[in-house]
C-alpha cells in the first residue's frame, strides 16, 4: 500500500462513509499558532464542540500573544492546551508566571510539556521532565498534562538515531503519571506510515508504558509544504519517502491527504479495541480551514462544526 495518498480528491458526495474512520476521528484535536489563529474569523464554524486546541509556542512568540490566543479560543468554547517548551522558559518564576497568566486570563487547566526546538536552554530547564519536577502544574491544579512522543525517534534526544533515551524518558513519565492528579497522555510528532506507528505503540505497551497515545497526523497539504515542515520538525524515515515523491514532477502539484494512514490506523483500532492509540492530533500544515474541512468530510456526525454555516 502506498504511504501517501496522491489520487484525485473525492468530492463529499463521492465519499463512502467509513465507520471505523469516523470512530477513530471522534474527539480529534488540532494545533494552531497565534498568527494562524488570527486568520480564522470563527473557530465554531470549523471545529466540533469541545475540540481540544493546542497552541504551539514557537521561540520568539511573546507570552502575551499566546495568552491572548488562549483567551480567544476559550471564549469560543474550546478547551485550550498551550505548549510549555522547557528550553525557552528562563526559570521557575517565569514558568509560574506563565501558568498564572493562562489560568487567570483564559481558564487554562491543561498543557503540553516538551523540551522544545531551541538548540540550547535559555535557563534552568532542558526537558519536560524538569518542568514536571517543579510541581507547579500540580500546585496549580492542572487537570491534564500531555508529553511528547516520537514514533520515528528524535535525534535531539538520541543523536545515534536510536530510541534508548526517548524510551527511558517515557518510562519516567509513566511513573510520574502514577503520582500526579493530572490525566496524562502522549502527543506525537506527525508521521505518514501506519505500520511503524502500530509497532511503536505496541512496543511501548510491552515496555509497560500505559499512557494513552494521541497520534500526530499531518493534515492535507502540498508536498512541498510537507517536506519543509518534515525537515524543520526532524521527521525521520517519512522524509525519505517525501523526497522520493518530490522527484516525480507530476506529483508535486497533487495534494496530500491523510486518508490512507488514518484508514489503516482506524481499521487496526477497530480490530483491536484495546490499542493504545486513542485520539488523532492534527498538524494543519496546509491550513486550519483545509484540515477542518477534511475532518468534517471524513469524521461523520461527531466531526461536524459547532456552528456550521
Amino acid at each position: 500500500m502506498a504511504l501517501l495518498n496522491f489520487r484525485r480528491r473525492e468530492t463529499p458526495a463521492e465519499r463512502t462513509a467509513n465507520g471505523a474512520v469516523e470512530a477513530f476521528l471522534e474527539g480529534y484535536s488540532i494545533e494552531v499558532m497565534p498568527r494562524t489563529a488570527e486568520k480564522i474569523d470563527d473557530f465554531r464554524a470549523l471545529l466540533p464542540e469541545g475540540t481540544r486546541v493546542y497552541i504551539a509556542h514557537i521561540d520568539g512568540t511573546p507570552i502575551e500573544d499566546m495568552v491572548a490566543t488562549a483567551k480567544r479560543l476559550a471564549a469560543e468554547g474550546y478547551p485550550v492546551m498551550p505548549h510549555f517548551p522547557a528550553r525557552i522558559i528562563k526559570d521557575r518564576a517565569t514558568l509560574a508566571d506563565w501558568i498564572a497568566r493562562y489560568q487567570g486570563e483564559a481558564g487554562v487547566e491543561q498543557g503540553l510539556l516538551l523540551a522544545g526546538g531551541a538548540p540550547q536552554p535559555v535557563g534552568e530547564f532542558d526537558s519536560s521532565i524538569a518542568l514536571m519536577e517543579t510541581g507547579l502544574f500540580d500546585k496549580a491544579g492542572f487537570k491534564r498534562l500531555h508529553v511528547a512522543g516520537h514514533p520515528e525517534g528524535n535525534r535531539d534526544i538520541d543523536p545515534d538515531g536510536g530510541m534508548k533515551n526517548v524510551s527511558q524518558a517515557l518510562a519516567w513519565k509513566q511513573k510520574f503519571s502514577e503520582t500526579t492528579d493530572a490525566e496524562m497522555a502522549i502527543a506525537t510528532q506527525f508521521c505518514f506510515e501506519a505500520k511503524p506507528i502500530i509497532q511503536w505503540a505496541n512496543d511501548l505497551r510491552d515496555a509497560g508504558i500505559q499512557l494513552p497515545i494521541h497520534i500526530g497526523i499531518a493534515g492535507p497539504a502540498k508536498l512541498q509544504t510537507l517536506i519543509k515542515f518534515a525537515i524543520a520538525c526532524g521527521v525521520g524515515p517519512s522524509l525519505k519517502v517525501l523526497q522520493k515523491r518530490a522527484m516525480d514532477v507530476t506529483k508535486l502539484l497533487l495534494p496530500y491527504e491523510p486518508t490512507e494512514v488514518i484508514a489503516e490506523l482506524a481499521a487496526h483500532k477497530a480490530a483491536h479495541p484495546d490499542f493504545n492509540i486513542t485520539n488523532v492530533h492534527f498538524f494543519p500544515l496546509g491550513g486550519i480551514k483545509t484540515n477542518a474541512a477534511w475532518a468534517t468530510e471524513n469524521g461523520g456526525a461527531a466531526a461536524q462544526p459547532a456552528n456550521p454555516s
Side-chain angles (χ1 to χ4, degrees), residues 37 39-47 72 76 78 307:
K39 300 176 183 178
I40 305 300
D41 292 330
D42 180 9
F43 276 92
R44 291 181 61 80
L46 301 177
L47 303 179
R72 178 261 174 107
E76 292 186 21
Y78 293 102
N307 187 23

Side-chain angles (χ1 to χ4, degrees), residues 10 41-42 53 88 90 113 134 157 164 171 174 180 201 260 267:
E10 296 174 325
D41 292 330
D42 180 9
V53 181
I88 69 171
K90 183 179 178 180
L113 280 52
T134 66
I157 304 173
K164 179 181 177 181
Q174 172 66 41
T180 178
E260 291 188 16

Side-chain angles (χ1 to χ4, degrees), residues 13 17 110 126 139 148 159 162 190 194 207 210 212-214 237 243 260 302 306:
Q110 53 186 338
D126 65 350
K139 183 178 179 180
F190 58 87
Q210 304 296 325
I213 298 170
H214 295 218
Q243 290 171 329
E260 291 188 16

Side-chain angles (χ1 to χ4, degrees), residues 232-265:
C233 296
V235 172
S238 300
L239 178 58
K240 294 180 180 179
V241 174
L242 297 180
Q243 290 171 329
K244 183 177 179 180
R245 290 280 182 172
M247 294 175 68
D248 186 342
V249 177
T250 64
K251 293 177 179 176
L252 281 173
L253 301 179
L254 296 176
Y256 160 80
E257 294 186 348
T259 308
E260 291 188 16
V261 64
I262 290 285
E264 278 195 65
L265 291 172

Side-chain angles (χ1 to χ4, degrees), residues 128-130 132-133 167-177:
S128 60
I129 291 175
M132 285 182 272
E133 285 180 329
S167 297
Q168 288 177 345
L170 284 177
W172 186 96
K173 293 163 189 174
Q174 172 66 41
K175 291 181 180 178
F176 180 83
S177 74

Side-chain angles (χ1 to χ4, degrees), residues 90-97 124-125 133-136 139:
K90 183 179 178 180
D91 51 29
R92 182 185 177 94
T94 301
L95 176 59
D97 177 61
E124 61 185 82
F125 302 122
E133 285 180 329
T134 66
L136 290 174
K139 183 178 179 180

